[in-house]
Amino acid sequence: MKTLKLLAAAAVCALAATSAGAAERAVIVLDASGSMWGQIDGKPKLEIARETLSDVLTTLPVELELGLMAYGHREKGNCKDIELIVEPAAGAAPRIAEAAGGLRFLGKTPLSAAVERAAEALRYTEDKATVVLITDGIETCNADPCALATSLEQSGVDFTAHVVGFGLSREEGRQVACLAENTGGKYIRAGDAAELKEALTETVSARPDEGEKAETPPVALPAASVKAPDEAPIGSGLTVEWSGPADKNDYLDIVPVGYEETRGELSYAYVKAEETAVLRAPGEVGDYVVRYVWQGPDKRHVLASAPLNVVDSAAALIAPARVMAGKAFTVDWKGPGTAGDYVDIVPDGYEKTNGELSYAYTEAGNPARLKAPGDPGRFELRYVLQAPEGRKVLLAVPLEVTEAVASVAFPVDVEAGSVLSVSWSGPAADGDYVDLVPEGYDRTSGEIAYFYIESSDDGETGELVAPGKAGRYQVRYVLQAPDGRKVLTSQALSVTGVDAQLEAPEAVDRGGDIAVIWAGPNRRGDYLDLVPAGYQETSGELAYAYTDAAGDEGDKRKSAITAPNEAGAYELRYVMQASDGRYVLARRPITVR
């Protein structure tokens, strides 16, 4: 599998850098969150990670003192679920491989806290320390990985963090790469063969002399230029001409005068060959700088800049320059605010003052709240004035709607009627939901089970009840966009059948208690009931008892049901409550005398 090889090589790069740097001790921080159930080429990422780590560990020097930290492996929704599973020690590779193989993948992604804990375990303020983070997601526990990296670098004796982004998008990579960049480490995105070759060259070949940290030769900076308007109104769109290397991760940004960081920019746009870039002016008057930022082999470098003076305006729309399809966002507006005025979204170049894709009246308050269209592309954000002679577009600024990206991750094989925990990521727009449908189902209604994103228990996971019928199904993320529902992603689910057993006397007296010994799935809502012989309905029973109220009887459970007062032939049944209805799993005839 190509992706398996990529991740293996990426991890080798990072760990090779550790041994190459003659670090005395290192800790691998492994993402064990629920999102690792996501699949690549039909295989769960957690399986790829386990196999990869096992392979990588066999290539490392025995004398390297190595440990293992994991997060998200014990419970859902807990940002403190971090554990040092294997203490750093020489020859620990086999124990690390075994421990990784036994991890469960359940919870959140507190990667910043995990890296900090790993640094502390290595006594980074006293000794040389290296941490290798392997993650398939971004921080989800309200921490700032960039600030943490700066703190660890300043406090540590010789601290380095390498980050392997397993399947991260370019946008996600921006949010975690600083952990490596701010500590002199490498961010390696397991993406394609070219990136892999570059990563190998940058890490494995950088072998220091006699165990001391090598002096890194200065990076030759390529030429670049930026040409922007001298002045722009607040919130306006401005076209920037540029020249430069146009590498994959290069971008233009706007920052305050004197700002030196290559993160936390006010506006940015990735460069595309032979194209100008459109940036959004800040919402506050002042002096700023437009910059060309190059993603070099060691870190981001500012190659060129141009001054920008942002001035006030009678009408303005302060909003993001780009939003994800279907996502809700706010727009601070400045204008007359007369009755009937509104802010809307229309296709690029649209001139009519009706048929808008999304809108909000200014009298509803400031900021206005809008929802991006469901399809990516170029649009306009407009302030529409309700004048006596009719509607008039007072102001229009460009808005880029990017493709909506979502994922669902869960164990791919479950038993009928079981509760399925689904880890999700996506726009999280109002009305978005995750559903369960038969394989090949293409409608966005009539689902078997679903949960709304806004009601999921921790903002990352939600629960679905599996169907009672064995077979193939799909779990999907459905976007509720202004122009309709759209399935953003789906993943296959296999449901296997279950059965139950019942033990009871062949005959009982009228009105007496029937002692029933049973075994079964004991799902939420399952029950035992008593019905006339041959009865097929799963309602109208003569007596019943929920299975969750049963007592223990060895390996089985024991419940009591009261017999009817009328003699005759009856049946005891085990009824399972699944998402698609009730299923009779077992029947046992009984005579009431």
Side-chain angles (χ1 to χ4, degrees), residues 20-21 158 205-219 298:
D158 187 356
S205 64
R207 193 170 295 276
D209 297 328
E210 300 180 358
E212 294 297 325
K213 197 168 185 177
E215 290 292 332
T216 302
V219 173
D298 55 341

Side-chain angles (χ1 to χ4, degrees), residues 39-55:
Q39 295 183 14
I40 295 179
D41 296 333
K43 187 170 186 177
K45 287 186 282 187
L46 62 91
E47 292 184 12
I48 299 172
R50 284 169 170 165
E51 294 172 6
T52 300
L53 190 57
S54 179
D55 291 342

Side-chain angles (χ1 to χ4, degrees), residues 194-258:
E195 292 172 354
L196 174 60
K197 183 177 180 180
E198 183 179 354
L200 285 166
T201 302
E202 293 170 1
T203 55
V204 178
S205 64
R207 193 170 295 276
D209 297 328
E210 300 180 358
E212 294 297 325
K213 197 168 185 177
E215 290 292 332
T216 302
V219 173
L221 302 181
S225 68
V226 173
K227 184 178 180 181
D230 295 332
E231 186 176 281
I234 57 172
S236 63
L238 58 147
T239 300
V240 179
E241 298 178 8
W242 59 271
S243 67
D247 289 342
K248 186 175 182 180
N249 295 315
D250 292 4
Y251 59 91
L252 302 175
D253 68 8
I254 299 177
V255 297
V257 170

Side-chain angles (χ1 to χ4, degrees), residues 326-392:
K327 194 170 183 65
F329 65 103
T330 58
V331 181
D332 285 287
W333 55 266
K334 186 177 181 182
T338 54
D341 288 6
Y342 59 90
V343 178
D344 69 6
I345 300 174
V346 296
D348 188 33
Y350 192 82
E351 296 181 353
K352 297 180 182 179
T353 53
N354 57 26
E356 56 280 321
L357 300 170
S358 180
Y359 70 93
Y361 285 108
T362 58
E363 57 191 325
N366 198 356
R369 183 174 174 84
L370 296 174
K371 198 172 191 181
D375 292 320
R378 295 188 180 278
F379 297 84
E380 287 185 344
L381 188 64
R382 309 187 305 182
Y383 186 110
V384 181
L385 173 69
Q386 181 66 63
E389 66 274 17
R391 296 172 183 158
K392 180 184 299 184

Side-chain angles (χ1 to χ4, degrees), residues 173-196:
R174 284 172 58 89
Q175 300 181 52
V176 297
C178 55
L179 260 174
E181 294 171 350
N182 292 4
T183 61
K186 300 294 182 185
Y187 170 68
I188 305 166
R189 181 182 173 200
D192 57 34
E195 292 172 354
L196 174 60

Side-chain angles (χ1 to χ4, degrees), residues 87-130:
E87 293 274 354
R95 287 189 290 127
I96 291 173
E98 181 180 1
L103 290 174
R104 297 191 302 160
F105 293 76
L106 298 170
K108 295 178 77 70
T109 309
L111 61 85
S112 300
V115 169
E116 184 174 25
R117 288 266 298 273
E120 291 170 349
L122 292 167
R123 300 191 299 273
Y124 76 105
T125 59
E126 304 171 23
D127 301 315
K128 185 174 184 177
T130 301

Side-chain angles (χ1 to χ4, degrees), residues 75 162 310 496 503 528:
E75 58 183 300
H162 302 291
V310 175
T496 57
E503 299 175 17
L528 309 178

